[in-house]
Amino acid sequence: MGSTRKVTRGAQTWLYPLPALLIGAIVDGKQNFMAAAWGSIANAEPPMLCVAIRRSRHTRKGLVPGEPFSVNVASTSQAREVDFCGIESGASVDKVSKCGFTVFYGSLDKAPLIEECPLNLECTVAQIVELPTHSLVIADINESHVSEDCLADGRIDVSRMDPIVYVTSPARKYAHIGEAVADAFSAGLSL
Ligand SMILES: Cc1cc2nc3c(=O)[nH]c(=O)nc-3n(C[C@H](O)[C@H](O)[C@H](O)COP(=O)(O)O)c2cc1C
């Protein structure tokens, strides 16, 4: 670690790293996907997640309490597609055909899933908290789909999945998850 001297930089949305997720929804009757980095797991039992969607997004119209949508975890090989879904709007572009996504459906209708992504979560909107600029969408995770080649002994092997990570401002880069540095829930036991 470097110097412990600090400077203040004001209120910032700086948090590192963030996932670069693809949120899938049916909007105006059409499948659409948008990039979202402001997402997290929110509850354990039942499994729930949350994602912050700016109210002006086309995708926001497709997120309705009680209705399905999807969260797709892309791999680093899909950086171009993730970025495209984050700079173009489904209001004017068919992102599915532009990105060449193969869309499939699981147990929920209206939750479009991307076959090329190694992990897909089928979700149902549980609650939406309206914040000043963003809608915090809180959702139940109903089902998960994992590409078989990302499993080892039936469990997710993150190195095979190679999920894409977003490194926010000022870097604004997509990256791999770095190397492991210690065992979680174990390294601290020595203190
Ligand atoms: C890496 C990345 C992360 C993003 N994260 C979010 C996010 O968490 N929430 C959000 O509202 N917009 C986010 N955006 C912007 C939207 O993805 C972008 O405005 C997109 O065009 C919206 O698509 P839509 O109009 O089809 O809904 C992100 C964009 C990028 C490139």
Side-chain angles (χ1 to χ4, degrees), residues 10-191:
Q12 303 288 350
T13 54
W14 291 342
L15 205 58
Y16 307 90
L18 295 169
L21 307 166
L22 288 173
I23 307 301
I26 304 287
V27 192
D28 295 341
K30 266 183 59 186
Q31 302 158 348
N32 188 48
F33 294 94
M34 70 163 263
W38 293 5
S40 175
I41 291 299
N43 194 59
E45 292 105 21
M48 296 176 84
L49 55 74
C50 61
V51 58
I53 306 291
R54 192 177 274 273
R55 256 184 300 288
S56 55
R57 308 296 185 226
H58 184 61
T59 302
R60 173 65 186 86
K61 289 198 268 172
L63 301 170
V64 177
E67 294 291 327
F69 72 102
S70 71
V71 174
N72 300 269
V73 178
S75 75
T76 56
S77 62
Q78 296 174 294
R80 273 182 355 138
E81 290 83 352
V82 168
D83 201 54
F84 186 81
C85 290
I87 53 183
E88 293 291 344
S89 177
S92 49
V93 176
D94 182 348
K95 293 192 235 182
V96 172
S97 69
K98 273 280 184 187
C99 293
F101 291 148
T102 310
V103 175
F104 72 104
Y105 288 83
S107 52
L108 304 177
D109 60 341
K110 296 197 278 178
L113 307 165
I114 301 171
E115 198 172 287
E116 290 79 9
C117 288
L119 174 62
N120 322 91
L121 303 176
E122 290 187 76
C123 302
T124 304
V125 177
Q127 197 181 334
I128 301 182
V129 179
E130 295 298 349
L131 300 174
T133 59
H134 283 61
S135 300
L136 185 65
V137 178
I138 302 170
D140 286 298
I141 303 171
N142 303 106
E143 184 59 279
S144 57
H145 303 258
V146 188
S147 297
E148 257 176 20
D149 60 359
C150 294
L151 295 176
D153 300 326
R155 305 175 69 175
I156 286 187
D157 182 328
V158 177
S159 60
R160 291 186 193 191
M161 195 164 85
D162 193 16
I164 189 165
V165 163
Y166 176 54
V167 184
T168 190
S169 175
R172 297 177 95 193
K173 300 276 186 209
Y174 299 104
H176 297 277
I177 288 181
E179 276 174 43
V181 294
D183 291 322
F185 300 99
S186 160
L189 296 176
S190 60
L191 290 180

